[in-house]
Amino acid sequence: MTSTNRTLNRILLLALGLVAITVGVVIGAGVLTPVRDAVQQYVTLPGRVTVPDTAMWVIATVCAVVVVLALVVVCTRGGGGTSVAVRERTGTDQVTVNVALVRDVIEHELRGVRDVVSTKVDTYLVKKDRAARIRVHVRRGGDAVTVLDAVDHAVTTLDRTLGRPVPVLVHLAGGTRNAPARTTRVQ
């Protein structure tokens, strides 16, 4: 539910990681004798490198810009995940409902459904509105229609409990990792 592209994030992390490794090896080869000896087998390194003062300022400026951009990206990430499911304000009064209540209502309503292995509920801020994401892990070979009907009933119960409708994204997941799960478990 975040607005960033996962593939683009992975490519950016890979590129930054390769740059960091390269810079680390170059700095290590210039400072540490064991690193220099290990790298000289593959790359010919000059004995001494002279860098003009203006180039050092350019390098320092580029490094500062990269650090600032990295901090901006880190501080603006997160996609709005929140622990508050509903917040109502009336005058000076305020009522806040935690995601734990939403989680408890959904789990209670889905507890008796045979094909549901587990559920997970998260809440997010989406364009200044709060929305819930319900992940339901369905048993392999389970009846998705029955599970969807049960989730719809659980969401209706949640809306009645909260006294207002909450936008919900339902994600059904299933497959081989849920195959070993059984209907009854002893804990």
Side-chain angles (χ1 to χ4, degrees):
M1 294 180 85
T2 61
S3 59
T4 57
N5 186 341
R6 178 176 284 184
T7 305
L8 181 64
N9 284 340
R10 300 297 189 262
I11 292 170
L12 182 64
L13 285 174
L14 177 68
L16 288 176
L18 291 174
V19 167
I21 290 171
T22 304
V23 168
V25 168
V26 169
I27 289 173
V31 176
L32 303 171
T33 307
V35 175
R36 184 181 317 124
D37 294 341
V39 171
Q40 279 182 339
Q41 296 174 4
Y42 307 104
V43 178
T44 306
L45 296 173
R48 182 180 171 122
V49 178
T50 56
V51 180
D53 291 337
T54 55
M56 289 301 285
W57 281 107
V58 169
I59 292 171
T61 304
V62 168
C63 289
V65 167
V66 167
V67 167
V68 168
L69 288 175
L71 287 174
V72 167
V73 167
V74 167
C75 291
T76 59
R77 297 280 303 146
T82 181
S83 65
V84 177
V86 176
R87 179 169 284 152
E88 290 286 332
R89 289 190 176 110
T90 308
T92 59
D93 296 334
Q94 176 176 316
V95 175
T96 302
V97 177
N98 194 306
V99 69
L101 176 72
V102 176
R103 188 175 300 126
D104 289 345
V105 169
I106 298 296
E107 286 177 358
H108 180 268
E109 291 297 316
L110 296 179
R111 185 171 294 139
V113 180
R114 185 176 157 276
D115 291 330
V116 173
V117 175
S118 67
T119 60
K120 183 177 178 186
V121 179
D122 300 314
T123 55
Y124 292 90
L125 281 172
V126 180
K127 296 184 181 178
K128 297 187 181 184
D129 289 328
R130 297 178 193 284
R133 176 180 64 184
I134 302 172
R135 289 186 189 172
V136 181
H137 293 278
V138 180
R139 183 174 324 284
R140 185 174 175 202
D143 185 15
V145 174
T146 305
V147 172
L148 279 175
D149 288 341
V151 170
D152 187 42
H153 175 61
V155 170
T156 303
T157 304
L158 175 67
D159 291 344
R160 276 195 324 254
T161 303
L162 296 176
R164 66 189 288 270
V166 175
V168 173
L169 170 71
V170 176
H171 177 85
L172 294 181
T176 56
R177 74 178 183 160
N178 296 332
R182 298 206 185 332
T183 304
T184 57
R185 292 184 179 188
V186 178
Q187 298 201 21

